[in-house]
Amino acid sequence: MNATTKLYAAPALALLLAACSGSTQPVTPKTPGKAPAKVTAKGPATSPMPAPTSPPAIPAKPAEPVKVVSESVQDPHSYARPQEATVEHLKLDLTVDFQAHRLTGRASLRVKNKLGVDHLILDTRGLDIQRVTLDDGKTEAKWSLGAADKLLGQALDVQIAPGTAWVNVDYSTRPETAAIQWLTPAQAGSPSPLLFTQSESILARTWIPCQDSPGVRMTYEATIRTPPALMAVMSAENPTKKSADGVYRFRMPNAIPSYLLALAVGDLEFRPLGTNSGVYALPSVVERAAWELADTPKMIAAAEALYGPYKWGRYDILVLPASYPYGGMENPRLTFATPTILAGDRSLVSLVAHELAHSWSGNLVTNATWNDFWLNEGFTTYFEGRIMEAVYGRPYFDMLAVLGRQDLVDAFQELGATSPDTQLYLNLAGRDPDEGTGDVAYEKGALFLRTLEASVGREKFDRFLRTYFDTFQFQSMDSARFVQYLKQNLLGGDEAQAKNLQIDAWVYSPGLPTNAIEPHSEAFAPVDQAVKSFAGGAPAAQISTTGWTTHHWLHFLETLPTPLDRAKMADLDATFHLSDSGNSEILSTWLMKVVQGKYEPAYPALERFLTTVGRRKYLKPLYTELAKTPEGAEMGLRIYEKARPGYHSVSQVTVDQILGWRG
Ligand code: BES
Ligand code: ZN
């Protein structure tokens, strides 16, 4: 982690972020199927109009999997009606104002009016819309905003003609907008301020008016005007040098869903890693990042050898400040990543394999709705494992697989093994799609594919996957359609085999089907032995840890008894200095032990971690564990008060909910 990064240093931003807490509180939203009460551009309408804009109502819970093609799957998290009219290209012209914390400018959307309708419905949330024009920008459009839903935002209803080609929206984002984190120089750990966006799952609409559904794809171009001496980068063709005038032009010639729209602006530098890949980061971080991520070209080669050519031109990685709420985000051409992967020994680079794998699973073949999220993440976790195996060998992969299996055990424990949230296919209508992003989609999804691989053989399975990516590239995919395709193309329509493999249970039932394969790692045998003897009373100094890698340590910590008594905690920390670990995975896993064991001597380390790292995957379990006892909750709240202003809204929403934060 970047030692100079301080997440809690900026009172001004603290106030702004605290002020926005109201708009980021979790809510139980209405589905967009309901007719929104209308608010016109000039103010609230006196009487709610009938709603020609409302999409068809969503069935609350499909009794059984609906067998439909993806185009007709209604996204419960979007107001848009792409079946009628689709946005096929976006042209952005935005000015970045670091003083006002606003992006201001125009989004021009090129419309393909499939059914000759007279309304285009866009998703927006918290945008200040000034004006909407059609085509050449000289024709004023009639437009109105639907009722505001805290999660889904407001439908922007623009009247168009069947021949309208362009809809131009002049707008600004608000300072508290959910997708964007505006970092002060102190927060960024830089002499300059920095901003980044995070659009997945449904936050693109908080910085761009768009059809914010993963089932809709568009190409885009953008002009971004920044203060001089800063660099702008996007999920598009990127500069490698700062421009003299602060103006940057971007082009994304491949059609992508809105959740892959991304922008970052800051004092960034570029270092090449190979001919086709490189890394962007702050000058103070970029050398370290380039060293850590040096194997990226090998991973690209391994991925291409498995499932076909990389379709996006370059593959670069942007290493962001520690408030970045995710480990990584697969923004096309430019993965966004947390600096917590810079462990100094390249031991956490499976994250790069993961985000790179999304260039096929997710970015080429995209989940049709967030209910099908496992098609993005389960496939990607499987593919990640294959890349890691190809580059670092089978024993390395085996360790990752065992650790992933442990994560799944934990997820089942947390959710309850019969919870519908342990299905691969989810029903998230009326809920925040973020609630479906836990380990189940990743680890149960990957285990499903590994089980299929083990059953049909690797060669056949690889051929199947390669054809799947080729066949559905630049399209979306839903669970029902995938199951159908799988039965037909991998199992040759053999229903008995499909039954044997419990295909439907994997996708549509909670828990784990009985045919799930069990990963095993030889390398972990000595670790299991060490856990046994240490738990049995042997001192830590007697554990032989020579040759242990990050993954050995993680397995050790995860399989120790919980809670561990104080004397053992003290012995471990004194012997291995776990509280001072510079490895974010080891440190966060140790800190879980600290909270579970109420091991007070390590509380300062816990506080340091929670106030310097904003990665939700770490924050969520730690705050959740703290919230289990009154003293823990009190400490959690005290730390959170200090840390919250430095977290991205995505992490704020999660921790607000855990701690019952009201600001
Ligand atoms: N696409 C996800 C991140 C994401 C998921 C953002 C859901 C918003 C909603 C990304 O590919 C991912 O899975 N990141 C992981 C790292 C990975 C190595 C498992 C993360 O952030 O921890
Ligand atoms: Zn992912």
Side-chain angles (χ1 to χ4, degrees):
M1 196 193 325
N2 178 358
T4 61
T5 305
K6 286 278 184 299
L7 287 180
Y8 48 83
L13 185 59
L15 284 173
L16 281 171
L17 285 169
C20 86
S21 65
S23 68
T24 54
Q25 293 283 352
V27 287
T28 313
K30 299 179 281 302
T31 68
K34 296 231 181 89
K38 290 229 164 166
V39 180
T40 65
K42 297 188 196 77
T46 42
S47 63
M49 285 156 55
T53 61
S54 59
I58 320 302
K61 199 169 200 162
E64 53 174 278
V66 210
K67 296 269 192 312
V68 279
V69 293
S70 61
E71 287 75 31
S72 62
V73 173
Q74 172 66 45
D75 181 351
H77 297 107
S78 171
Y79 293 106
R81 299 179 188 175
Q83 306 86 341
E84 299 176 352
T86 340
V87 172
E88 42 176 28
H89 184 74
L90 162 73
K91 206 168 156 180
L92 278 178
D93 189 329
L94 296 174
T95 299
V96 180
D97 184 341
F98 273 104
Q99 261 80 50
H101 287 180
R102 283 183 191 269
L103 304 179
T104 301
R106 171 173 289 192
S108 295
L109 309 137
R110 198 174 71 222
V111 184
K112 182 175 171 190
N113 195 340
K114 293 185 193 160
L115 300 186
V117 292
D118 49 12
H119 289 265
L120 178 73
I121 314 297
L122 300 172
D123 292 297
T124 73
R125 193 177 118 188
L127 300 178
D128 286 331
I129 296 170
Q130 285 111 28
R131 183 175 177 221
V132 183
T133 55
L134 303 180
D135 294 322
D136 59 3
K138 290 180 191 130
T139 317
E140 294 288 330
K142 289 208 175 98
W143 60 279
S144 63
L145 283 168
D149 178 280
K150 282 200 171 148
L151 180 66
L152 303 174
Q154 290 172 286
L156 169 60
D157 178 349
V158 182
Q159 279 189 35
I160 56 171
T164 302
W166 291 90
V167 169
N168 314 299
V169 183
D170 294 344
Y171 73 103
S172 297
T173 61
R174 294 188 191 146
E176 71 277 11
T177 201
I180 306 177
Q181 190 173 15
W182 298 88
L183 297 173
T184 62
Q187 289 177 314
S190 164
S192 305
L194 186 145
L195 79 81
F196 64 85
T197 64
Q198 169 58 40
S199 297
E200 193 179 13
S201 308
I202 54 168
L203 300 182
R205 68 189 68 177
T206 76
W207 67 289
I208 301 171
C210 61
Q211 293 184 316
D212 196 11
S213 170
V216 180
R217 311 181 82 88
M218 63 197 167
T219 49
Y220 81 88
E221 65 197 286
T223 301
I224 303 292
R225 301 163 199 279
T226 73
L230 296 185
M231 200 193 301
V233 288
M234 294 191 82
S235 50
E237 292 170 6
N238 276 309
T240 54
K241 289 200 165 48
K242 286 174 185 156
S243 77
D245 57 0
V247 179
Y248 294 89
R249 293 181 209 285
F250 301 90
R251 225 169 57 92
M252 169 41 84
N254 297 331
I256 59 162
S258 55
Y259 77 89
L260 296 176
L261 291 165
L263 167 70
V265 179
D267 178 18
L268 300 172
E269 251 181 51
F270 174 78
R271 288 280 181 285
L273 295 171
T275 49
N276 218 19
S277 59
V279 61
Y280 293 84
L282 295 174
S284 58
V285 178
V286 76
E287 294 300 343
R288 225 157 32 97
W291 184 86
E292 198 89 24
L293 306 174
D295 284 344
T296 303
K298 282 188 212 161
M299 292 186 182
I300 299 171
E304 290 191 305
L306 280 165
Y307 301 126
Y310 178 77
K311 299 273 165 77
W312 304 88
R314 294 189 57 86
Y315 178 78
D316 296 321
I317 301 164
L318 167 65
V319 177
L320 284 160
S323 70
Y324 190 61
Y326 292 102
M329 177 65 213
E330 65 272 26
N331 297 316
R333 294 181 67 104
L334 184 63
T335 283
F336 283 19
T338 168
T340 63
I341 54 167
L342 307 180
D345 60 1
R346 297 182 180 157
S347 65
L348 301 180
V349 295
S350 61
L351 183 130
V352 175
H354 179 96
E355 305 312 336
L356 171 66
H358 272 305
S359 308
W360 288 257
S361 43
N363 298 3
L364 273 188
V365 185
T366 308
N367 52 206
T369 73
W370 299 113
N371 292 336
D372 308 298
F373 183 64
W374 76 277
L375 292 175
N376 274 17
E377 297 301 341
F379 276 64
T380 295
T381 304
Y382 172 82
F383 192 173
E384 166 198 343
R386 295 295 304 277
I387 295 170
M388 294 307 284
E389 177 179 340
V391 178
Y392 301 102
R394 180 75 195 203
Y396 194 113
F397 163 76
D398 285 338
M399 291 196 284
L400 295 178
V402 169
L403 291 168
R405 184 70 180 84
Q406 184 61 44
D407 291 341
L408 187 58
V409 168
D410 296 345
F412 282 155
Q413 201 146 40
E414 186 193 322
L415 298 164
T418 57
S419 160
D421 285 352
T422 64
Q423 291 176 197
L424 288 178
Y425 175 77
L426 298 173
N427 182 1
L428 295 167
R431 295 167 70 188
D432 188 333
D434 264 16
E435 290 179 30
T437 59
D439 284 332
V440 171
Y442 291 77
E443 296 300 339
K444 182 177 172 182
L447 203 53
F448 177 32
L449 300 193
R450 284 178 202 141
T451 300
L452 292 173
E453 182 206 310
S455 167
V456 303
R458 179 167 277 192
E459 215 179 300
K460 186 171 176 186
F461 193 62
D462 280 352
R463 243 182 295 124
F464 165 77
L465 276 187
R466 199 174 171 137
T467 311
Y468 169 75
F469 291 132
D470 278 350
T471 308
F472 299 106
Q473 59 174 324
F474 301 108
Q475 295 175 44
S476 52
M477 179 57 60
D478 61 86
S479 300
R481 197 177 179 201
F482 171 71
V483 166
Q484 215 167 31
Y485 180 81
L486 169 77
K487 288 179 177 171
Q488 209 52 50
N489 293 275
L490 186 69
L491 310 179
D494 179 350
E495 268 303 321
Q497 202 189 353
K499 211 165 173 185
N500 223 357
L501 285 168
Q502 308 184 56
I503 305 293
D504 292 318
W506 272 99
V507 179
Y508 298 109
S509 297
L512 206 56
T514 48
N515 65 332
I517 59 159
E518 199 53 55
H520 176 75
S521 160
E522 276 307 319
F524 282 166
V527 179
D528 292 331
Q529 197 47 50
V531 167
K532 219 184 222 170
S533 63
F534 181 69
Q542 266 177 29
I543 302 173
S544 161
T545 59
T546 352
W548 279 20
T549 65
T550 296
H551 304 101
H552 294 84
W553 280 107
L554 292 175
H555 184 64
F556 177 73
L557 292 170
E558 282 175 10
T559 51
L560 280 174
T562 306
L564 209 54
D565 64 60
R566 289 183 61 91
K568 285 204 170 63
M569 293 288 295
D571 187 18
L572 281 180
D573 211 8
T575 312
F576 302 121
H577 311 289
L578 294 164
S579 295
D580 300 323
S581 174
N583 184 300
S584 61
E585 290 289 327
I586 294 176
L587 182 57
S588 67
T589 309
W590 165 248
L591 292 173
M592 270 305 272
K593 289 279 163 201
V594 166
V595 181
Q596 286 160 341
K598 301 190 177 51
Y599 182 61
E600 284 158 22
Y603 284 0
L606 174 67
E607 180 160 348
R608 211 177 319 125
F609 188 73
L610 292 174
T611 48
T612 47
V613 176
R615 186 173 172 187
R616 188 171 67 166
K617 174 187 149 188
Y618 296 147
L619 305 183
K620 192 177 171 188
L622 286 168
Y623 281 110
T624 302
E625 198 57 39
L626 281 169
K628 284 180 182 168
T629 65
E631 320 80 70
E634 199 184 306
M635 175 163 72
L637 277 168
R638 184 181 58 72
I639 296 173
Y640 186 44
E641 192 170 2
K642 203 156 33 151
R644 189 179 189 281
Y647 293 167
H648 184 275
S649 79
V650 152
S651 293
Q652 290 180 344
V653 167
T654 298
V655 183
D656 284 357
Q657 194 165 16
I658 293 168
L659 296 178
W661 175 268
R662 282 183 231 299

